[in-house]
Amino acid sequence: PSQVWNMTISRTSENSMHVKCRPPRDRNGPHERYHLEVEAGNTLVRNESHKNCDFRVKDLQYSTNYTFK
């Protein structure tokens, strides 16, 4: 599939985020799943898969930089 688009990340509390996106324009295959990886530095701290591109990421640590992929 092509990449998702209109990805947004918003803070919902002091230590949680809401990540959502729109489906890819070109979909391949019968099953649609979205995967979110959350990294702190070079460490994978969360790896989730949902049917919709709508993730609630909770219990994040203060003073830590995260990357969402």
Side-chain angles (χ1 to χ4, degrees):
S2 61
Q3 290 195 8
V4 297
W5 59 283
N6 199 29
M7 183 179 200
T8 60
I9 302 171
S10 56
R11 189 172 81 175
T12 55
S13 74
E14 290 299 317
N15 63 343
S16 28
M17 306 290 269
H18 181 207
V19 180
K20 62 182 180 176
C21 66
R22 306 283 296 175
R25 295 186 201 296
D26 299 315
R27 300 178 194 168
N28 295 329
H31 301 290
E32 189 172 316
R33 298 289 297 177
Y34 297 90
H35 303 277
L36 176 69
E37 293 180 352
V38 181
E39 295 179 346
N42 291 327
T43 304
L44 181 65
V45 294
R46 197 161 292 154
N47 187 4
E48 298 182 19
S49 177
H50 292 180
K51 186 173 182 164
N52 298 311
C53 188
D54 192 331
F55 298 88
R56 309 254 180 211
V57 184
K58 299 179 181 179
D59 301 322
L60 298 171
Q61 299 295 314
Y62 292 99
S63 300
T64 302
N65 290 322
Y66 291 96
T67 303
F68 299 87
K69 296 180 182 179

